Amino acid sequence: MAPTQQPQKTTVTKPPRQRAHILRWAAMLFLALIVLVGIAVLIIWLVIKPKRLVFSVEDGSVYNFNISNDNHLNASFNFVVRSYNPNSRVSIYYDSIESRVDYDDQSLAFSVVDSFFQPHWNVTRLQVKLEAQSTALLGSVSKDIKLEKSSGEMELDLWLKAKIRFKVGAWKSSHRTLKVSCSPVVVHFSRPKAFNRALCDVEL
C-alpha cells in the first residue's frame, strides 16, 4: 500500500512594497505620538508658568580651623541655605544633593545634603555641613588663607548640585540637574560679627 502524501503547506509572504508601506505607517504613527506628547508637556509647562527657584546663604561659620606646616587644612564649615519655591502649582523632589566649598579655584571640602520634598510656595532651610580633613593646599592658597584668617574673615564659594523632579498634580517630570553657586560667602572667625546674606545663582 503506497504511503499517503501529506499536503504541502504553502506560506504566503507579503510583497516587499507592502511591508515597506506598513513600516512607513508605523514610523509615522510613532513620530506623531512623540509630537503629541511633546505638545502636551509644552502646554502643561506654559499653563503652570514655572518661576525660577531662589537660593541664598543665610548663615555661615567655620570651626576647628587649622593649617599644618605642610599646608594641609582641617576645618568644619557650616552653612544655612534658604531654598524658596515661588511657584503656585509646582512642587519639587530633591532626590540627591551634593555640596562643595571652594577657596578661589581650589576645593576645600565636599558633602552630601539630605534629600527632601518641597511643596509650592515653600521655604526650606538646609543645614549644609562640610569637613575638610587634611586637604592638601597649594602654597599660594595656603598663604592667602592665612592672611585672610589674620583679618578675621574669609571669602568662600559654596556650590550645590541636585537631581530634581517637578510635580504638578499627579504628573512628575524626569530628572533634571540643578546647579546653585553662591559667591562670595564671607565667614567670620569671630562669631559676634553679623553674617551678610549671600545671594546665589541658579542654573537649571
Side-chain angles (χ1 to χ4, degrees), residues 26 32 35 39 47 52-54 68 79 86 130 136 146 151 162 166 168 198:
V35 171
I39 292 175
V47 168
R52 182 180 293 272
L53 304 175
V54 181
S68 63
F79 301 97
L130 307 97
K146 288 177 180 177
S151 70
F166 296 107
V168 182

Side-chain angles (χ1 to χ4, degrees), residues 8-191:
Q8 294 183 353
K9 295 182 179 179
T10 58
T11 57
V12 179
T13 58
K14 296 180 180 179
R17 285 187 179 180
Q18 188 175 356
R19 287 202 304 269
H21 184 70
I22 293 174
L23 290 175
R24 185 164 56 250
W25 273 103
M28 291 176 62
L29 182 62
F30 182 69
L31 181 61
L33 183 61
I34 293 177
V35 171
L36 287 175
V37 171
I39 292 175
V41 171
L42 178 61
I43 291 174
I44 292 173
W45 203 248
L46 292 175
V47 168
I48 61 179
K49 295 180 181 178
K51 298 178 181 178
R52 182 180 293 272
L53 304 175
V54 181
F55 283 80
S56 60
V57 182
E58 302 295 307
D59 194 16
S61 57
V62 55
Y63 297 97
N64 306 319
F65 185 92
N66 179 65
I67 298 179
S68 63
N69 293 331
D70 57 350
N71 294 331
H72 283 76
L73 171 67
N74 289 281
S76 299
F77 301 95
N78 296 334
F79 301 97
V80 177
V81 177
R82 180 181 183 270
S83 171
Y84 173 49
N85 177 11
N87 293 285
S88 60
R89 301 178 183 178
V90 182
S91 301
I92 304 166
Y93 290 95
Y94 287 82
D95 291 324
S96 66
I97 311 172
E98 300 173 354
S99 62
R100 187 181 86 236
V101 62
D102 294 354
Y103 179 86
D104 285 346
D105 293 327
Q106 178 163 6
S107 298
L108 303 180
F110 300 87
S111 183
V112 175
V113 182
D114 292 338
S115 58
F116 68 99
F117 173 74
Q118 187 172 41
H120 52 81
W121 280 340
N122 173 264
V123 172
T124 300
R125 285 177 171 81
L126 309 175
Q127 302 292 329
V128 181
K129 299 182 179 182
L130 307 97
E131 295 284 338
Q133 297 180 340
S134 297
T135 302
L137 302 176
L138 298 173
S140 58
V141 171
S142 176
K143 180 181 178 181
D144 291 343
I145 291 179
K146 288 177 180 177
L147 288 173
E148 290 201 26
K149 185 178 185 299
S150 64
S151 70
E153 62 184 36
M154 178 169 58
E155 289 189 359
L156 299 169
D157 302 326
L158 180 64
W159 300 82
L160 300 176
K161 182 180 179 181
K163 290 291 185 182
I164 67 171
R165 289 175 295 148
F166 296 107
K167 181 178 183 294
V168 182
W171 176 80
K172 298 176 183 177
S173 73
S174 58
H175 277 111
R176 302 188 65 179
T177 300
L178 175 74
K179 296 180 180 179
V180 180
S181 59
C182 313
S183 176
V185 180
V186 181
V187 295
H188 301 282
F189 290 93
S190 176
R191 285 298 296 169

